[in-house]
Amino acid sequence: MIRPELRQNVYIRGDAATPKFRVRELDLFYGTFQALKSVDMDIEANEITALIGPSGCGKSTFLKTLDRMNDIIPGCRISGKVELDGADIYAGGMDVNLLRKRVGMVFQKPNPFPASVYDNIAYGPKTHGVRKKSELDDIVESSLRRAAIWDELKDRLKKSALGLSGGQQQRLCIARALAVKPDVLLMDEPTSALDPISTGKIEELAQELKKDYTIVIVTHNMQQAARISDKTGFFLLGELIEFGGTDEVFDAPREKRTEDYITGRFG
Amino acid sequence: MTFSAFKETAMKVVFAVTAAVFILCVIVICVFIFARSVPAIGEIGLFEFLFSTEWAPNNTPASYGIGTMIVGTCFVTAGALVIGVPIGLLMAAFMARYCPKPLYKVMKPMTNILAGIPSIVYGYFGMMVIAPLIRDNFGGTGYSILTASIVLGIMILPTVIGVSESALRALPNTYYEGALALGATHEHAVFMTEFPAARSGILTSVVLGLGRVVGETMAVVMIVGNSTALPDSLLDGVRTMTSHIVLELGYATDLHRGALIATAAVLFVFILFINLLIVAIRRKGRAK
């Protein structure tokens, strides 16, 4: 359980401005195993929210609840509330496909489709009904520009995306997610498979993108969380132990367990 | 030499001999077919043999043109693919991505049984069920290109389903997840993402089916009508190269026999070409 004073703190933050995501008392079960325990969190628009914690703590699971990618996991049950701009995304009438259009996701391992760079970016818009070649061309270019990879790829649009380096593939995947014009970008350890230079580029990109998007990033890399995020949430065994401004969480954690994890005493 | 080293050498010899016997078989078949057919083709004339539609070994002068049989094989093959491939691919998609587990446990063995049914049983089924259906509904004798296409289309289902299904199953989950994360529906993710991603395996399944149809003999000879005239419609009977050989080889002599073996050579070239196609598809799939 989260200590009452902490929960209060979260509520106050949430009320200051309308949050992008408002999560309340979220429980999640895989079969009989409880992976998330009464998580409360407000995720603000145009901020980077980092989720940290040891492996298996539930941070990736939590991320997946935000675009309902956990739906495809058999035996996964949920209770509690997840609101996006005030609308419960687990309510009956919610169109999951439209939700996932609004809430894009970038995976741990770059997963471009085995097709050309162009077709990778155009896939999303085509899925949602864009047919005109000129419009698709525009989307491809603007998405690649936003992902800061246009200059590298503009001459290779027709080449297979699988021939790109890991870092390029990951930025391509970010561009692919941006092509459907989402509000939110979820990133599940997006740099864990990349070298430091590519990692730097992705971090820079995230900073740039937060002007227009809400970004939630799961990371194993504490320095990364400290470097790029505005808010940090620390998960442990399915509980959100601490959530607040990144500076506070890293410099003056309220919880002993947070401090222990951040200073490397366990995890 | 220690015992284990001896054992190793002995096994190496066994494997080498086995491999040699196998390769020898292929070579012997090649040599036999071509050695017997080249003189016959020389006598008939290659162009005449392949493109003449006149097959009359008993006439004087006799004519040995297998153009009709080549056309027949092409028609029946195309028909079987038109019928079998769409159904097979949809079935593969169903089995790999839609089918609930309990149903899968029934369906998978059923497709395997379909693969194991002897071709004469398929032929009998064609004669007793499909041919009368065609005769009653569309006219003609019932023994036709259409009948053979339907039966052969069913016969290639297990191949198309099995190979395509495993191609789909071999895909990493990441394509599906990636598509879903972009807001694609399950259908869109399966047919617009996973199918293209598995295309080399799926193409292979089609070409394997093609090979099966081209080479199929017993079922075909029972239902295809075996007329040596060029067909006017799908309801006409034709002869395929395989049914042609099996119908006449028993009593043919001299040049007649040579012409039939030469037909086998043409068939052999067809199959060789199909195998090369599979190799090319696999190579292209790997290069990706």
Side-chain angles (χ1 to χ4, degrees):
Chain A
M1 281 301 291
I2 300 175
R3 291 193 332 235
E5 66 272 21
L6 178 61
R7 175 169 285 169
Q8 208 172 10
N9 187 296
V10 172
Y11 274 77
I12 291 164
R13 259 171 213 294
D15 293 337
T18 316
K20 197 75 195 167
F21 275 108
R22 187 197 295 269
V23 180
R24 289 292 176 271
E25 295 181 10
L26 179 68
D27 290 318
L28 183 144
F29 297 84
Y30 293 130
T32 55
F33 172 73
Q34 188 167 7
L36 291 174
K37 294 168 187 164
S38 189
V39 174
D40 291 334
M41 191 185 284
D42 284 344
I43 295 168
E44 303 291 341
N46 302 104
E47 283 190 352
I48 298 180
T49 302
L51 308 176
I52 60 170
S55 299
C57 68
K59 55 193 191 303
S60 288
T61 299
F62 177 75
L63 193 75
K64 284 188 189 138
T65 63
L66 300 180
D67 70 344
R68 292 187 55 176
M69 281 300 278
N70 53 1
D71 284 13
I72 59 174
I73 301 167
C76 177
R77 279 185 302 116
I78 245 177
S79 70
K81 250 203 170 101
V82 181
E83 290 177 357
L84 172 61
D85 291 330
D88 186 354
I89 65 170
Y90 286 90
M94 174 57 66
D95 181 333
V96 183
N97 303 119
L98 280 184
L99 168 71
R100 292 185 188 139
K101 182 177 179 293
R102 286 176 67 191
V103 183
M105 188 163 217
V106 177
F107 296 83
Q108 179 172 4
K109 216 172 137 238
N111 62 343
F113 301 131
S116 69
V117 170
Y118 184 97
D119 288 340
N120 264 278
I121 308 292
Y123 180 91
K126 275 186 184 163
T127 303
H128 296 288
V130 179
R131 286 280 171 272
K132 253 172 65 192
K133 176 87 169 72
S134 58
E135 201 175 334
L136 287 171
D137 288 349
D138 289 346
I139 293 173
V140 168
E141 176 167 351
S142 65
S143 306
L144 288 170
R145 278 191 193 283
R146 293 206 141 203
I149 197 174
W150 170 253
D151 290 332
E152 284 169 63
L153 297 188
K154 64 177 179 228
D155 300 324
R156 302 168 67 175
L157 294 179
K158 295 290 167 204
K159 295 260 168 64
S160 169
L162 300 187
L164 304 178
S165 74
Q168 288 174 326
Q169 287 189 7
Q170 194 61 300
R171 278 181 291 152
L172 178 75
C173 289
I174 294 174
R176 185 176 70 183
L178 297 179
V180 295
K181 305 195 166 66
D183 307 340
V184 183
L185 211 49
L186 309 177
M187 299 183 167
D188 191 358
E189 299 183 37
T191 62
S192 66
L194 304 182
D195 64 83
I197 292 172
S198 305
T199 301
K201 283 186 181 159
I202 303 249
E203 289 182 5
E204 224 170 89
L205 179 59
Q207 293 287 5
E208 191 57 36
L209 289 174
K210 80 172 187 183
K211 291 176 196 147
D212 300 306
Y213 305 92
T214 305
I215 296 177
V216 186
I217 180 169
V218 164
T219 179
H220 262 298
N221 180 334
M222 238 93 63
Q223 284 78 30
Q224 182 169 67
R227 268 196 306 267
I228 66 169
S229 67
D230 301 292
K231 300 272 172 58
T232 296
F234 170 57
F235 280 85
L236 188 63
L237 300 172
E239 288 181 52
L240 179 60
I241 303 295
E242 183 154 354
F243 180 61
T246 297
D247 295 344
E248 298 159 41
V249 172
F250 276 87
D251 297 337
R254 260 187 303 269
E255 274 273 339
K256 179 85 170 55
R257 285 174 290 179
T258 313
E259 192 183 343
D260 286 349
Y261 181 70
I262 287 168
T263 54
R265 238 162 280 169
F266 73 91
Chain B
M1 193 192 276
T2 64
F3 182 64
S4 73
F6 169 75
K7 233 170 40 180
E8 187 146 324
T9 316
M11 285 319 287
K12 267 185 190 161
V13 171
V14 170
F15 290 136
V17 168
T18 322
V21 167
F22 170 73
I23 293 168
L24 203 67
C25 285
V26 178
I27 292 173
V28 166
I29 292 173
C30 277
V31 168
F32 167 79
I33 289 180
F34 286 102
R36 291 287 199 90
S37 52
V38 166
I41 291 177
E43 202 166 321
I44 301 161
L46 181 64
F47 192 83
E48 168 84 10
F49 178 65
L50 289 179
F51 299 108
S52 162
T53 54
E54 183 81 7
W55 175 266
N58 299 327
N59 284 10
T60 24
S63 42
Y64 298 99
I66 61 162
T68 335
M69 292 55 154
I70 294 178
V71 169
T73 292
C74 290
F75 270 116
V76 169
T77 305
L81 292 183
V82 165
I83 289 166
V85 169
I87 297 175
L89 295 187
L90 288 172
M91 283 281 293
F94 177 75
M95 304 255 294
R97 293 293 182 254
Y98 289 85
C99 191
K101 261 215 175 94
L103 186 59
Y104 184 79
K105 278 187 186 150
V106 182
M107 288 191 59
K108 189 66 189 168
M110 295 242 280
T111 62
N112 289 338
I113 290 171
L114 206 59
I117 294 175
S119 61
I120 191 150
V121 177
Y122 277 103
Y124 183 74
F125 170 74
M127 283 176 92
M128 291 298 147
V129 180
I130 308 290
L133 265 177
I134 301 286
R135 183 165 54 232
D136 297 345
N137 290 301
F138 301 105
T141 60
Y143 297 102
S144 63
I145 298 175
L146 186 59
T147 315
S149 296
I150 292 170
V151 173
L152 287 169
I154 297 170
M155 286 179 79
I156 63 169
L157 283 179
T159 314
V160 176
I161 295 170
V163 176
S164 294
E165 187 205 335
S166 38
L168 286 172
R169 282 190 189 279
L171 290 177
N173 228 349
T174 57
Y175 298 143
Y176 179 74
E177 283 180 350
L180 241 52
L182 289 169
T185 58
H186 180 67
E187 285 67 38
H188 199 94
V190 171
F191 288 101
M192 305 306 283
T193 313
E194 298 206 296
F195 260 72
R199 64 185 162 247
S200 89
I202 287 172
L203 266 177
T204 304
S205 81
V206 173
V207 178
L208 283 172
L210 177 79
R212 172 118 204 241
V213 177
V214 169
E216 179 51 45
T217 309
M218 200 59 226
V220 177
V221 81
M222 292 169 76
I223 52 179
V224 81
N226 301 315
S227 137
T228 54
L230 272 177
D232 290 327
S233 82
L234 291 180
L235 299 175
D236 281 350
V238 289
R239 253 185 212 199
T240 63
M241 287 187 274
T242 50
S243 66
H244 178 56
I245 297 167
V246 79
L247 281 165
E248 298 193 5
L249 195 60
Y251 61 84
T253 51
D254 306 331
L255 186 57
H256 186 189
R257 194 178 183 84
L260 292 175
I261 294 173
T263 310
V266 174
L267 197 62
F268 192 83
V269 171
F270 265 63
I271 297 290
L272 209 66
F273 181 73
I274 289 167
N275 277 301
L276 288 177
L277 205 60
I278 293 176
V279 172
I281 291 168
R282 292 229 167 114
R283 192 167 294 159
K284 193 150 171 274
R286 250 202 308 275
K288 278 265 153 61

